[in-house]
Amino acid sequence: EIVLTQSPATLSVSPGERATLSCRASQSVNNYLAWYQQKPGQAPRLLIYDTSSRATGIPARFSGSGSGTDFTLTISSLEPEDFALYYCHQRTNWPITFGQGTRLEIK
Amino acid sequence: QVQLLQSGAEVKKPGASVKVSCMASGYTFTAFYIHWVRQAPGQRLEWMGWINPSTGDTKHAQNFQGRVTMTRDTSISTAYMELSRLRSDDTAIYFCAREGYCTNGVCLHWFDPWGQGTLVTVSS
């Protein structure tokens, strides 16, 4: 099983600043990694797929990068609606796995 | 629009079973796999398995072997996940998700959309 480890667990950032979230895989996932955003009481929403492609309707301030085992989600200038939980997700190997999440909170 | 609508919250006693439904609309139900993912309080998302609505074939995560049954009814575009021999640590929100993020006429194997989630509480 591929284990995805996200860091930090909680990230405190002020609106307008940049946030950088990390996801490390226990073995290579090639570029088959996605990021989801989840707000309280809501289902996860696809943000980034195939490491760096933005899903439809996702603002350009969200970007993804990385390869192999190390991946990053960057939010260039935080808006109030961006404060949420973020999960990375791989489907290279069975079983499908998710990271434990990074909580992005307002500083 | 493409949507997955799940059944309402359930409260069950330990040892009982629960069956959650996921009704698809806005697309051809048999064209995309449906996955089930759960989220226990304070825990990461946990993938449970998938069903191919076209054939009824299923695949389950090892943790749920022997306890989970995934079925579908194509006449009403609905997938079901039944979990048996419930324990207190099965208390979670259960999501269904379509494996099929589609853009520019191409559909990829990512989860989009998700259902709204069904809270299952297991308590004596």
Side-chain angles (χ1 to χ4, degrees), chain A residues 3-4 32-34 36 38 42-44 46 49-50 54-56 87 89-91 94-96 98-100, chain B residues 35 37 39 43-47 59-62 95 99 101-103 108-112 114-116:
Chain A
V3 177
L4 299 178
Y32 293 118
L33 188 108
Y36 295 87
Q38 187 180 31
Q42 297 184 18
L46 181 65
Y49 63 94
D50 293 349
R54 273 191 306 277
T56 302
Y87 292 98
H89 167 214
Q90 71 81 26
R91 54 166 303 114
W94 185 83
I96 292 168
F98 294 86
Q100 84 277 23
Chain B
H35 292 248
V37 177
Q39 186 172 40
Q43 301 298 310
R44 71 178 67 198
L45 296 165
E46 182 179 18
W47 177 75
K59 190 176 184 75
H60 310 135
Q62 201 86 7
F95 294 99
E99 180 190 317
Y101 168 68
C102 300
T103 181
L108 306 172
H109 299 287
W110 298 109
F111 294 174
D112 181 71
W114 296 57
Q116 83 278 19

Side-chain angles (χ1 to χ4, degrees), chain A:
Chain A
E1 172 174 325
I2 294 180
V3 177
L4 299 178
T5 303
Q6 292 186 239
S7 61
T10 302
L11 183 60
S12 299
V13 185
S14 300
E17 294 188 339
R18 171 187 294 255
T20 302
L21 288 67
S22 173
C23 176
R24 175 163 289 178
S26 59
Q27 58 187 276
S28 176
V29 299
N30 300 308
N31 74 329
Y32 293 118
L33 188 108
W35 293 89
Y36 295 87
Q37 178 193 67
Q38 187 180 31
K39 296 182 179 178
Q42 297 184 18
R45 176 175 73 144
L46 181 65
L47 289 178
I48 301 287
Y49 63 94
D50 293 349
T51 297
S52 59
S53 298
R54 273 191 306 277
T56 302
I58 302 304
R61 64 180 180 273
F62 290 89
S63 63
S65 63
S67 65
T69 61
D70 289 297
F71 300 88
T72 300
L73 173 69
T74 302
I75 311 170
S76 60
S77 178
L78 282 161
E79 297 287 340
E81 62 267 26
D82 299 337
F83 293 94
L85 257 176
Y86 292 84
Y87 292 98
C88 55
H89 167 214
Q90 71 81 26
R91 54 166 303 114
T92 296
N93 280 5
W94 185 83
I96 292 168
T97 53
F98 294 86
Q100 84 277 23
T102 289
R103 182 175 304 277
L104 184 56
E105 64 176 29
I106 300 175
K107 187 174 182 179

Side-chain angles (χ1 to χ4, degrees), chain B residues 7-69:
Chain B
S7 49
E10 302 263 13
V11 179
K12 296 291 183 181
K13 293 194 182 303
S17 297
V18 68
K19 190 171 186 177
V20 179
S21 67
C22 171
M23 185 173 70
S25 61
Y27 73 97
T28 302
F29 177 61
T30 52
F32 298 92
Y33 285 25
I34 293 288
H35 292 248
W36 290 90
V37 177
R38 77 176 184 180
Q39 186 172 40
Q43 301 298 310
R44 71 178 67 198
L45 296 165
E46 182 179 18
W47 177 75
M48 300 179 69
W50 55 251
I51 182 167
N52 178 345
S54 179
T55 64
D57 289 343
T58 62
K59 190 176 184 75
H60 310 135
Q62 201 86 7
N63 287 350
F64 299 97
Q65 293 285 6
R67 283 211 302 144
V68 70
T69 304

